[in-house]
Amino acid sequence: MPDILRTIIRSIMLIIGLFIITKLLGKKQLSSLSFFEYIVGITVGDIAGTLSMDPDLSLRDGIASLVVWSFVPLAISTISLRSRVFRRIVEGKSTTFIENGNIIEENMRKERYSIDELLEQLRKKSVFKVADVEFASLDSNGELSVLLKKAKQPVKYEDLATEWEEESATVPVLIDGKIIEENLSRTGLDCNGLKAKIQDNGYQLQQVFYAEVDTKGELNVDLYDEYISSHFPDFDHI
């Protein structure tokens, strides 16, 4: 078989294989990548490119290598969904750069982030004055999340009829059904107080998948899917 035809066939097979791998890993791989997923993506692409161009390499061994490199992030993603501690080890956590309008230089040094890089990321968010920012954090995927001060936010319909006051980022107090005590203390609540607030909303602790406390001390909850239907009417019978 001519070398060019062999290369074409190998390339087509690898393209199909990469397509299948991408579908298995999910849409997250197309948007936000963790540090580990970034490394895996580069390595898998390098292996596929080398296999398609070098006919002396064993296609069978190359495919086995691709399977191993693809299985590891798939396994890690599955474990991460079940364990918040493991997820924080692998993916890391967000780092606060600006809080209450104040730049936290120590956190920026930990992330090796210069003030010039911070200003550049703010400009990409159409923010040209640090003084306009109430809260900003570097997420685990490298994106900068920004909350403007209330006076600098776009006007909403509800703002026209009510007086406004400064607000900051909400505090997650329950993730994956588990209470985050380090965050809970920031809200002035304890575990019993949180449970009481959840019950005041008409739910039980075991029904809540995610909960956060906003600036006003109000609790917002998201239920596990299996409990949602019991709190909403069956529209087929209305």
Side-chain angles (χ1 to χ4, degrees):
M1 180 183 297
D3 289 343
I4 181 118
L5 183 58
R6 187 183 298 115
T7 299
I8 292 174
I9 293 175
R10 291 166 68 99
S11 298
I12 292 175
M13 292 177 62
L14 288 167
I15 289 173
I16 296 174
L18 289 176
F19 176 77
I20 295 173
I21 289 171
T22 304
K23 294 291 286 185
L24 289 174
L25 294 179
K27 295 179 180 179
K28 178 184 175 182
Q29 305 296 319
L30 303 177
S31 55
S32 56
L33 296 177
S34 67
F35 178 74
F36 181 77
E37 290 165 342
Y38 176 74
I39 295 175
V40 169
I42 292 176
T43 305
V44 168
D46 184 59
I47 293 173
T50 303
L51 285 174
S52 65
M53 296 300 297
D54 193 343
D56 295 330
L57 294 177
S58 170
L59 186 61
R60 181 188 61 185
D61 294 344
I63 291 176
S65 178
L66 283 176
V67 170
V68 171
W69 273 93
S70 303
F71 174 77
V72 171
L74 185 62
I76 287 177
S77 296
T78 302
I79 298 173
S80 296
L81 289 174
R82 300 178 180 275
S83 171
R84 182 172 180 267
V85 175
F86 183 81
R87 183 165 63 245
R88 292 182 65 174
I89 293 174
V90 175
E91 300 182 1
K93 61 178 182 177
S94 61
T95 303
T96 302
F97 280 173
I98 301 176
E99 188 171 21
N100 297 326
N102 177 57
I103 298 177
I104 305 177
E105 295 88 353
E106 182 180 355
N107 288 353
M108 291 183 60
R109 285 194 293 268
K110 288 180 181 179
E111 296 292 344
R112 296 178 178 84
Y113 220 84
S114 70
I115 184 65
D116 292 328
E117 291 171 319
L118 175 61
L119 294 175
E120 179 183 350
Q121 292 301 316
L122 288 176
R123 288 194 295 270
K124 289 181 178 179
K125 302 285 186 180
S126 298
V127 179
F128 296 90
K129 291 176 62 178
V130 175
D132 293 343
V133 180
E134 177 67 23
F135 179 86
S137 66
L138 184 68
D139 296 333
S140 58
N141 63 355
E143 287 287 330
L144 187 71
S145 298
V146 178
L147 174 68
L148 294 175
K149 291 183 177 179
K150 188 67 175 180
K152 300 298 180 179
Q153 294 178 13
V155 177
K156 297 178 290 186
Y157 178 80
E158 59 196 61
D159 295 330
L160 301 177
T162 59
E163 295 183 0
W164 54 266
E165 56 187 35
E166 290 293 347
E167 62 180 30
S168 58
T170 57
V171 180
V173 293
L174 192 145
I175 299 176
D176 291 342
K178 297 181 177 61
I179 296 175
I180 312 302
E181 295 187 7
E182 60 191 82
N183 290 351
L184 191 61
S185 60
R186 294 167 52 191
T187 67
L189 293 172
D190 56 17
C191 293
N192 292 329
L194 177 61
K195 293 177 183 178
K197 271 185 170 292
I198 292 175
Q199 291 174 353
D200 288 343
N201 281 270
Y203 311 121
Q204 297 298 320
L205 180 64
Q206 64 270 19
Q207 296 177 311
V208 181
F209 172 70
Y210 173 81
E212 61 185 14
V213 176
D214 62 20
T215 311
K216 299 178 181 179
E218 296 181 356
L219 182 71
N220 305 304
V221 301
D222 179 85
L223 302 180
Y224 282 102
D225 290 343
E226 58 264 32
Y227 294 112
I228 291 178
S229 59
S230 62
H231 286 83
F232 291 93
D234 187 349
F235 291 101
D236 291 338
H237 295 87
I238 294 179

